[in-house]
Amino acid sequence: MKPWPSPYVPAVPGSSPPLRLYAASAGAVEPVVLGPTVRMYVCGITPYDATHIGHAATYVTFDVVRRSLHDAGRQVVHVQNVTDVDDPLLERAQRDGVSWADLAEREVALFGEDMTALGVLAPDHYVGVVESMGTIVEAVAALEASGAAYRLAVPGGPGEDVYFDLASSASFGEVSGWTREQMAEVFADRGGDPDRPGKRDPFDPLLWLAARPGEPAWEAGVLGRGRPGWHVECSAIALRHLGMGFDIQGGGTDLIFPHHEMSAVQAEGLTGHPPFARHYVHQSMVGLHGEKMSKSQGNLVLVSRLRADGVEPMAIRLALLAHHYRTPWDWTEDLLATAVAQRERWREGLSVNAGPDAAATVAAVRERVADDLDTPGALAAVDAWVQRCLAEGGDDPAAPGLVSRTVDRVLGIRL
């Protein structure tokens, strides 16, 4: 799958400190990596609707992660999947009377346009499920051959579905840290089927869905004709492109369980050893009127619609970066208006011929972002410089350009 074009990233003298992020397992902010190359996997979209602000917040967050790592001198290998065949996509296509493949292609293209407008760096490997079918089939077959999977007959029809046996995993629950009671509260709503008769454990995840009438299916050798379950795609794609023990697994907090939990235990079942990822990083949910913004609820603020209404994409990005990634927040028109005004104020301050010395501001932006992505603190540092520049002026002709290149390089704000 072809990714969108990456924006130009300007050079700035100096470098960011080593990136530190919150580690749920330790309950503290810790350094992410020690090596020169960072391997990062960010879970991608299921393309049955356009990019909403919650999606944008996630991908802008991990774009800033990547920018900070680059600015600290690290190489980054970034992998992102696209779930271009799954139940929600098929259901939406049927509702709208369109081909599921055409719907996926259209929404993937629109997502790329939104990411381009928001200045998000494209992943090094942008990988769809359909193009990865062989890799996924091999993974499921290997899990079954190892005894870590079992089959259930399709109710009322031919074929057998394949499930991962959680009893084969010694690490189940370590990614989320949740109790079984907490898992039970969300499992069915997040794609699980806890009440399926014959399952050994209600939480056992589906690996392979045998072909159903009217649904797409692929030949899969010993598995029979069918298509993958949700979680195994990320297990297989990440192992192929990054290997076991990669550095950062990213996504929204709604992926902690079951998706990240199941992806990890399945990968560990394939390789025989943990961890799948060394650091799990999650973007908090963005709401609207007190409710989580989601496709299923239909309470969406779409990036493409904002752009069509004439909202400058960098104002959208500023509105997203005004919130810490670990803090849930609600989108409002007032927030957008504040971001629009902030962008105009920055452009005014950075268009002068000379300004106050910018060295401390550049250092503050880098330090704030490197300290668990304190983007609000980084924006405040730029605000302070712009205010001083507009109120007092300055005699350093290089300062405005230096600040402008820094906010572009580290925060992804093009002015």
Side-chain angles (χ1 to χ4, degrees), residues 156-183:
E160 295 176 303
D161 299 331
V162 183
Y163 282 85
F164 182 76
D165 188 352
L166 288 172
S168 68
S169 171
S171 61
F172 176 62
E174 291 182 1
V175 170
S176 65
W178 288 14
T179 65
R180 288 185 68 89
E181 290 74 20
Q182 290 173 307
M183 294 175 182

Side-chain angles (χ1 to χ4, degrees), residues 183-347:
M183 294 175 182
E185 290 178 3
V186 304
F187 187 61
D189 290 336
R190 296 182 180 178
D193 57 353
D195 299 324
R196 168 100 184 248
K199 289 182 68 174
R200 297 176 183 176
D201 186 311
F203 299 135
D204 284 350
L206 178 70
L207 293 170
W208 188 255
L209 182 75
R212 264 59 166 182
E215 295 186 1
W218 287 260
E219 296 294 344
V222 297
L223 300 177
R225 188 170 172 79
R227 60 183 170 91
W230 176 25
H231 315 299
V232 71
E233 68 183 82
C234 288
S235 306
I237 292 171
L239 286 178
R240 177 179 179 183
H241 292 281
L242 297 176
M244 201 67 174
F246 58 91
D247 299 290
I248 298 173
Q249 165 74 82
T253 54
D254 56 340
L255 298 184
I256 296 172
F257 184 87
H259 187 56
H260 285 173
E261 189 78 64
M262 301 306 185
S263 298
V265 296
Q266 290 166 170
E268 290 161 11
L270 284 166
T271 62
H273 60 86
F276 181 48
R278 300 182 184 279
H279 218 107
Y280 287 85
V281 183
H282 296 105
Q283 165 70 42
S284 287
M285 295 294 97
V286 179
L288 184 69
H289 307 311
E291 298 288 337
K292 172 195 168 186
M293 195 179 297
S294 68
K295 294 176 180 178
S296 60
Q297 295 192 43
N299 60 339
L300 305 179
V301 176
L302 303 178
V303 172
S304 56
R305 192 167 300 158
L306 291 173
R307 293 195 293 116
D309 289 341
V311 178
E312 215 288 329
M314 289 300 102
I316 301 172
R317 186 163 177 130
L318 274 168
L320 298 174
L321 295 178
H323 302 84
H324 192 267
Y325 79 99
R326 289 196 286 115
T327 302
W329 55 281
D330 270 18
W331 177 268
T332 68
E333 289 299 318
D334 287 345
L335 286 174
L336 180 57
T338 298
V340 169
Q342 184 180 39
R343 174 183 170 274
E344 291 306 311
R345 190 169 62 252
W346 282 20
R347 291 191 70 180

Side-chain angles (χ1 to χ4, degrees), residues 85-108:
V85 60
D86 198 19
D87 288 343
L89 174 65
L90 303 181
E91 293 164 4
R92 181 62 57 86
Q94 184 177 30
R95 187 201 73 177
D96 295 348
V98 298
S99 158
W100 65 270
D102 289 345
L103 175 61
E105 183 178 6
R106 183 185 75 205
E107 296 302 330
V108 167

